[in-house]
C-alpha cells in the first residue's frame, strides 16, 4: 500500500463499531435468556472469531451487514464443541472465553494464531484456578489452553496489572460462582463488562477500584447499539491534528470515561478537539471534530495508561510531529500485545527520520524533526499498520505500508476511508 504526503483531510466519517463492546455483546447475548439484536457491530476478524466460537457451542447467531442477532441459550445452555475453539488473533476472545468456560460442565480447548500462542495467559489461569477451575496450558502460560468443568467459588482477587481482559475473565467466571466475586484493580481499566452486565440485570457494585459481582440466576437479553470505536477514531484524531489544513468530523464515537485517555493526552499536547452532540446513557457517545494544530511534547504515564493503552502507537506518531520531548512510560503492557509495540514503533519511526529511544517501559520521542517517507513493516499488527499509515500522511514523499491487509482485524475499510478523505 503506497501513501503519499496528504492534502488537508476534510469531511465527516463514521469509523467501525467498538471492538470491546462488539465482543461482549455477542458473549453476553449468548448467555442471556432471549434474543439480543446488536447494531453497529464491528465486522472485523477478531469479533467474527467470537461469533464462530459461540456458534460452535450451539448458539444460533445471524449476521447481516453491521447487525447481528444472537439467540441466547442462557447461562447454562452452552454445549461442548466438537473441536477446538479457535480465537484467531483475538486476545479479548481468548481471555474472556476462559472466564466463561471455567464455569461450564464440559471441557474444551481454546487456541489462536501464532501471535495468540505467544501472549501470556498465566495471568488468567491463576485467578480462575483459585476459583476452582481446571486449566492446563503450554508451559502453564500459553495457548492452547484446556479448560475442564469445575464448581466455582467466589474470591477476592487483586489484579497484578490494570487489564480489562483479565478483570472481565474473573467477573465472567463469577457468574458461575457460589458466592460474590471481587476484583481489585491497581488503576481503572475499561469498564464495558460492568456496564453491560448491569444492563442485563446483574448486580455489579463498583467502589473506586473495587468491583464486586453477585452471581445471578439468569441474564435478561437486551438489544445493544454499538458506538463507533474511539480506538479506531484515534487514528483520524491524530491525522487531523498533524496534517496541515485538516478539519475532520468523526461521528457517533463512544466516550466511555475509561476509554478517553486519548482525548486527554492529545488535548494536553495542544490538539484542537471538540465534542459535540453528546448523548447516550449506558455508553455515552458524541461527534468529535478535530482540526490541525501545533502540538508539543508531554509525559504520558501513570493511571492514564490503561485508558489509552491501545492508542499509544498512534500517540507516538503524534509525538514525532510535536515540538519538544514526549516521554511514554509505565507502558510495559505494550510488549505483549499483537506485537512488541514499543520496539515496533521505535523501529518504524526511526526509518522515517524520527529521534526515538526505546526504554524499559515505553519510549522517549524528541519531536519536531522533518520526517520522510519509508517502507514500513506492520509486524502483523493492525495498530502498527494504521499508525504508520497516519505517519506517512505527514511525511515528505511516498511511503509504503507492507502487509496492509492486517487492518482487517479491527478496521477492514481503513485505507478506503483514508482515500475518501484525500489521504
Amino acid at each position: 500500500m503506497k501513501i503519499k504526503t496528504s492534502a488537508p483531510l476534510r469531511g465527516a466519517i463514521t469509523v467501525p463499531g467498538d471492538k470491546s463492546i462488539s465482543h461482549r455483546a455477542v458473549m453476553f447475548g449468548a448467555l442471556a435468556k432471549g434474543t439480543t439484536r446488536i447494531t453497529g457491530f464491528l465486522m472485523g476478524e477478531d469479533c467474527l472469531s467470537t461469533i464462530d466460537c459461540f456458534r460452535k457451542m450451539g448458539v444460533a447467531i445471524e449476521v447481516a451487514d453491521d447487525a447481528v442477532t444472537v439467540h441466547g441459550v442462557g447461562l447454562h445452555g452452552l454445549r461442548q464443541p466438537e473441536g477446538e475453539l479457535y480465537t484467531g488473533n483475538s486476545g479479548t476472545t481468548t481471555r474472556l472465553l476462559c472466564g466463561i468456560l471455567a464455569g461450564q460442565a464440559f471441557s474444551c480447548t481454546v487456541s489462536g494464531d501464532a501471535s495468540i500462542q505467544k501472549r501470556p495467559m498465566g495471568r488468567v489461569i491463576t485467578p480462575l484456578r483459585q476459583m476452582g477451575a481446571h486449566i492446563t496450558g503450554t508451559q502453564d502460560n500459553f495457548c492452547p489452553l484446556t479448560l475442564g468443568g469445575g464448581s466455582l467459588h467466589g474470591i477476592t482477587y487483586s489484579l497484578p496489572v490494570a487489564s480489562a481482559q483479565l478483570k472481565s475473565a474473573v467477573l465472567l467466571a463469577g457468574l458461575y460462582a457460589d458466592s460474590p466475586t471481587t476484583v481489585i484493580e491497581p488503576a481503572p481499566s475499561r469498564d464495558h463488562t460492568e456496564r453491560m452486565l448491569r444492563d442485563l440485570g446483574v448486580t455489579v457494585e463498583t467502589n473506586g477500584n473495587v468491583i464486586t459481582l453477585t452471581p445471578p440466576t439468569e441474564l435478561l437479553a437486551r438489544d445493544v447499539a454499538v458506538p463507533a470505536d474511539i480506538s479506531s477514531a484515534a487514528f483520524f484524531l491524530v491525522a487531523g491534528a498533524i496534517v496541515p489544513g485538516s478539519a475532520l468530523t468523526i461521528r457517533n464515537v463512544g466516550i466511555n470515561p475509561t476509554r478517553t485517555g486519548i482525548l486527554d493526552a492529545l488535548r494536553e499536547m495542544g490538539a484542537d478537539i471538540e465534542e459535540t452532540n453528546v448523548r447516550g446513557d449506558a455508553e455515552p457517545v458524541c461527534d468529535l471534530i478535530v482540526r490541525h494544530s501545533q502540538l508539543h511534547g508531554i509525559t504520558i504515564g501513570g493511571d492514564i495508561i490503561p485508558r489509552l493503552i491501545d492508542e499509544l502507537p498512534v500517540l507516538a506518531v503524534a509525538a514525532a510531529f510535536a515540538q519538544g520531548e514526549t516521554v511514554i512510560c509505565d507502558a510495559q503492557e505494550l510488549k505483549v500485545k499483537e506485537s512488541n509495540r514499543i520496539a515496533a514503533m521505535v523501529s518504524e519511526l526511526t526509518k522515517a527520520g524520527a529521534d526515538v529511544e526505546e526504554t524499559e517501559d515505553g519510549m522517549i520521542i524528541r519531536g519536531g524533526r522533518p520526517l520522510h517517507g519509508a517502507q514500513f513493516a506492520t509486524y502483523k499488527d493492525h495498530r502498527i499498520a494504521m499508525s504508520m499509515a497516519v505517519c506517512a500522511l505527514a511525511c515528505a514523499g511516498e511511503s509504503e505500508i507492507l502487509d496492509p491487509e492486517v487492518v482487517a482485524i479491527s478496521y477492514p475499510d481503513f485505507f478506503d476511508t483514508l482515500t475518501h478523505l484525500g489521504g
Side-chain angles (χ1 to χ4, degrees):
M1 172 64 68
K2 300 290 182 66
I3 299 177
K4 296 181 179 180
T5 306
S6 178
L9 302 175
R10 295 183 175 274
I13 59 172
T14 301
V15 301
D18 189 284
K19 188 151 75 84
S20 296
I21 296 174
S22 294
H23 280 301
R24 288 162 173 78
V26 170
M27 293 180 179
F28 300 161
L31 300 179
K33 181 180 180 181
T35 299
T36 298
R37 296 171 181 83
I38 308 166
T39 53
F41 185 85
L42 170 61
M43 294 297 174
E45 291 178 359
D46 275 11
C47 295
L48 295 177
S49 292
T50 294
I51 288 177
D52 180 64
C53 287
F54 280 88
R55 281 175 169 165
K56 288 179 178 176
M57 291 188 286
V59 181
I61 303 175
E62 302 158 12
V63 177
D65 297 326
D66 68 345
V68 173
T69 302
V70 182
H71 300 280
V73 296
L75 273 175
H76 303 282
L78 296 178
R79 299 200 305 260
Q80 184 172 17
E82 292 184 0
E84 175 183 277
L85 293 178
Y86 181 74
T87 61
N89 189 246
S90 177
T92 301
T93 308
T94 307
R95 294 193 174 110
L96 270 62
L97 256 185
C98 286
I100 293 171
L101 293 172
Q104 303 305 313
F106 55 79
S107 63
C108 68
T109 299
V110 177
S111 192
D113 66 8
S115 172
I116 283 294
Q117 293 181 34
K118 296 176 182 177
R119 297 178 69 175
M121 297 295 160
R123 58 178 61 173
V124 174
I125 292 172
T126 297
L128 295 182
R129 279 182 177 163
Q130 289 183 23
M131 298 177 77
H134 304 298
I135 310 176
T136 59
T138 303
Q139 300 176 26
D140 224 23
N141 189 33
F142 301 103
C143 286
L145 302 175
T146 298
L147 297 94
S151 298
L152 304 186
H153 54 267
I155 61 171
T156 296
Y157 187 71
S158 295
L159 302 184
V161 294
S163 164
Q165 291 180 3
L166 175 52
K167 171 179 64 175
S168 297
V170 176
L171 293 176
L172 290 175
L175 295 173
Y176 297 93
D178 59 8
S179 58
T181 294
T182 297
V183 175
I184 303 170
E185 300 189 277
S189 63
R190 60 187 64 178
D191 65 354
H192 302 302
T193 293
E194 299 96 298
R195 287 172 180 255
M196 295 176 75
L197 285 176
R198 289 189 193 105
D199 210 35
L200 296 173
V202 182
T203 299
V204 183
E205 299 176 357
T206 300
N207 183 9
N209 291 357
V210 180
I211 303 102
T212 299
L213 178 146
T214 300
T217 56
E218 62 181 6
L219 306 183
L220 301 176
R222 293 284 300 271
D223 291 349
V224 179
V226 181
D229 198 328
I230 196 168
S231 294
S232 294
F235 300 104
F236 294 98
L237 291 172
V238 172
I242 66 174
V243 175
S246 296
L248 294 176
T249 298
I250 312 168
R251 296 180 290 246
N252 199 45
V253 179
I255 50 169
N256 179 312
T258 62
R259 297 285 300 280
T260 52
I262 179 68
L263 300 181
D264 297 340
L266 283 175
R267 283 171 172 149
E268 187 179 350
M269 295 176 79
D272 181 359
I273 301 173
E274 178 184 354
E275 297 176 23
T276 64
N277 195 20
V278 178
R279 56 206 183 275
D281 186 15
E283 290 287 351
V285 301
C286 77
D287 301 330
L288 294 172
I289 301 172
V290 58
R291 303 174 182 88
H292 173 252
S293 45
Q294 298 300 316
L295 304 182
H296 56 80
I298 62 171
T299 296
I300 305 170
D303 287 354
I304 197 174
I305 293 295
R307 297 176 53 230
L308 48 60
I309 189 69
D310 286 338
E311 293 76 66
L312 284 173
V314 79
L315 268 174
V317 171
F321 289 94
Q323 294 297 318
E325 183 176 276
T326 294
V327 177
I328 297 174
C329 55
D330 304 316
Q332 302 94 325
E333 191 70 9
L334 287 179
K335 295 182 177 181
V336 293
K337 292 289 187 178
E338 286 86 335
S339 67
N340 180 335
R341 289 177 174 167
I342 295 175
M345 289 306 299
V346 169
S347 173
E348 300 315 299
L349 287 173
T350 299
K351 288 180 183 178
D355 183 356
V356 191
E357 175 186 345
E358 181 175 351
T359 65
E360 182 63 29
D361 62 350
M363 62 190 91
I364 300 170
I365 305 158
R366 301 172 185 92
R369 296 173 58 166
L371 301 190
H372 55 78
Q375 187 180 71
F376 298 120
T378 58
Y379 305 83
K380 296 183 179 180
D381 188 327
H382 56 131
R383 300 202 193 280
I384 301 299
M386 291 185 280
S387 295
M388 296 317 300
V390 168
C391 181
L393 295 175
C395 285
E398 183 177 82
S399 297
E400 182 179 8
I401 309 297
L402 300 177
D403 302 316
E405 64 276 2
V406 298
V407 302
I409 291 292
S410 63
Y411 199 155
D413 297 329
F414 174 77
F415 290 106
D416 290 340
T417 304
L418 278 189
T419 300
H420 166 72
L421 292 172

